[in-house]
Amino acid sequence: MVGRVGSGAAEPPGARDALLTLTVGARPTAAGVAVMVDATLPEEANAVRRAFAGLRQEPPARDFVELEACVQGFVERAREQLHQRPGHGASVTAVAWCGAEGVVWHVGEVRAYSLSRGHVRRLTTDDTFQTTRGAWILTRSLGLGRDEPTVTRVSLDGVSDLLLCSSGAHRHADDASFDVLSQDWSRPAQAIDVLRRARAGDPGSGLVALVRRS
């Protein structure tokens, strides 16, 4: 299954933020991939989207190692797409899982969180720093300079959902704001709306996506 998760509306081709999800196997928890891109220009988001489009045609992975190798290949393909456009880069975070095993590819400022009852854990660290005037500077992005993604293996044992947030969504909300998802677990859609309102300082962009594993 490939589609837009979080808002229900299809992502326009010209959007700066995009989400691609792929779930394979008999149950959603069997194996899956979720990719989010946060770009300054629509062309950058489209380049990454094209690179990962081939995930739709990939046969189901037989195990976690095969899945990890497969997604790594598509991450490299996304880098190549952006390298063909000098001066263009994008924040990209991809999460792949097979059962309780997970791996995260991250470069830029798209955040990934794992969610379980009573617990919210951030899986990524932003490649940014804040100036004395309060402005945020992006230090790394896919396609520019030192763009090798940070790859981290994580345990997703007991994790039922993953939360992906573009910079426009999380910039105006600290990590504590995401606790609402564990406090009001029966109403995740309403919880996401709370996070959307938290980014009111940047209403023109931002994407929050809840990817359900079970």
Side-chain angles (χ1 to χ4, degrees):
M1 178 181 68
V2 178
R4 177 81 154 71
V5 179
S7 72
E11 188 70 18
R16 300 185 320 152
D17 306 328
L19 173 74
L20 171 69
T21 62
L22 173 70
T23 304
V24 296
R27 297 182 296 121
T29 52
V33 182
V35 184
M36 182 177 284
V37 53
D38 185 354
T40 303
L41 299 173
E43 292 84 353
E44 297 163 351
N46 288 335
V48 177
R49 187 168 15 215
R50 286 193 299 270
F52 279 97
L55 276 170
R56 297 184 179 97
Q57 283 75 48
E58 285 295 308
R62 291 172 294 184
D63 53 33
F64 176 72
V65 174
E66 186 174 289
L67 178 65
E68 181 179 14
C70 172
V71 178
Q72 176 67 40
F74 282 99
V75 171
E76 292 301 322
R77 191 172 302 178
R79 291 180 72 195
E80 293 171 4
Q81 286 275 354
L82 290 170
H83 287 164
Q84 293 173 11
R85 305 178 60 85
H88 289 260
S91 294
V92 178
T93 293
V95 184
W97 66 89
C98 185
E101 297 182 281
V103 60
V104 181
W105 291 262
H106 169 78
V107 58
E109 53 186 345
V110 172
R111 290 184 184 176
Y113 293 82
S114 64
L115 312 176
S116 57
R117 291 185 181 276
H119 185 60
V120 179
R121 178 169 60 112
R122 201 206 296 190
L123 304 177
T124 57
T125 300
D126 299 341
D127 292 316
T128 59
F129 74 89
Q130 191 172 21
T131 68
T132 55
R133 295 186 177 183
W136 289 94
I137 305 298
L138 184 64
T139 59
R140 294 200 315 132
S141 61
L142 200 69
L144 290 174
R146 299 180 299 104
D147 68 338
E148 183 72 27
T150 299
V151 183
T152 308
R153 285 196 174 192
V154 296
S155 172
L156 298 179
D157 187 30
V159 171
S160 58
D161 300 85
L162 296 168
L163 182 71
L164 299 178
C165 304
S166 69
S167 61
H170 68 66
R171 185 63 55 76
H172 304 283
D174 58 25
D175 285 352
S177 302
F178 295 90
D179 289 342
V180 66
L181 285 163
S182 59
Q183 294 166 1
D184 190 7
W185 199 253
S186 64
R187 304 172 67 189
Q190 287 84 343
I192 288 178
D193 287 339
V194 170
L195 300 184
R196 289 182 184 280
R197 289 195 295 271
R199 65 173 175 85
D202 185 13
S205 65
L207 177 68
V208 178
L210 187 69
V211 181
R212 177 138 294 181
R213 285 178 14 96
S214 62

